[in-house]
Amino acid sequence: MKQITKAAMPHIFSIKVLDKLPGLFKPHRYLYHCVRCKWSFVVNDGRRGALRPISDNGTPLTREEVVARAETFAAGPCPAMRVVAEASLRVNGNGANGHVPADAGHSRSELRLH
């Protein structure tokens, strides 16, 4: 179930080209910003293919937070959509998402008589 959620809920990025690092063969840096969850990532920061999650307010992220955000970069799940996915996948006593079936509280014989 977790893989289905990850595949269905990737980040949606807006991409900004940043400056090129000094050096002859250094790559351009890119800022990837998810429009849903507002997480940002810098790609090619220091070397080609490097990924660095950054915080919105400039405070340093903890190592655990950096690892957790980096794991979601390529395939998701986007944390903003995780809430929606968990709510739609949750099944409680009344049926999916708390909806009560139309024939709830009626026996089959009562429904046939009407």
Side-chain angles (χ1 to χ4, degrees):
M1 187 70 77
K2 195 177 237 185
Q3 291 177 350
I4 293 170
T5 304
K6 282 186 179 181
M9 304 297 173
H11 291 281
I12 295 181
F13 289 115
S14 65
I15 304 169
K16 179 180 179 182
V17 179
L18 300 175
D19 58 342
K20 185 176 178 184
L21 295 173
L24 191 55
F25 296 106
K26 295 290 184 175
H28 280 280
R29 298 183 320 147
Y30 299 93
L31 177 66
Y32 282 66
H33 182 75
C34 180
V35 297
R36 289 182 184 155
C37 67
K38 309 299 186 229
W39 282 3
S40 297
F41 303 86
V42 177
V43 177
N44 295 338
D45 193 26
R47 67 182 198 289
R48 191 173 310 278
L51 175 71
R52 184 172 55 101
I54 57 175
S55 66
D56 297 333
N57 56 8
T59 61
L61 298 172
T62 64
R63 174 132 179 94
E64 293 80 22
E65 185 70 19
V66 167
V67 170
R69 287 187 183 199
E71 286 177 350
T72 69
F73 178 75
C78 178
M81 296 306 291
R82 186 180 300 155
V83 174
V84 174
E86 288 174 358
S88 67
L89 296 175
R90 186 181 315 125
V91 177
N92 57 24
N94 295 331
N97 294 330
H99 293 106
V100 179
D103 61 344
H106 302 288
S107 67
R108 289 187 175 249
S109 59
E110 290 176 7
L111 290 175
R112 279 189 224 140
L113 294 175
H114 296 291

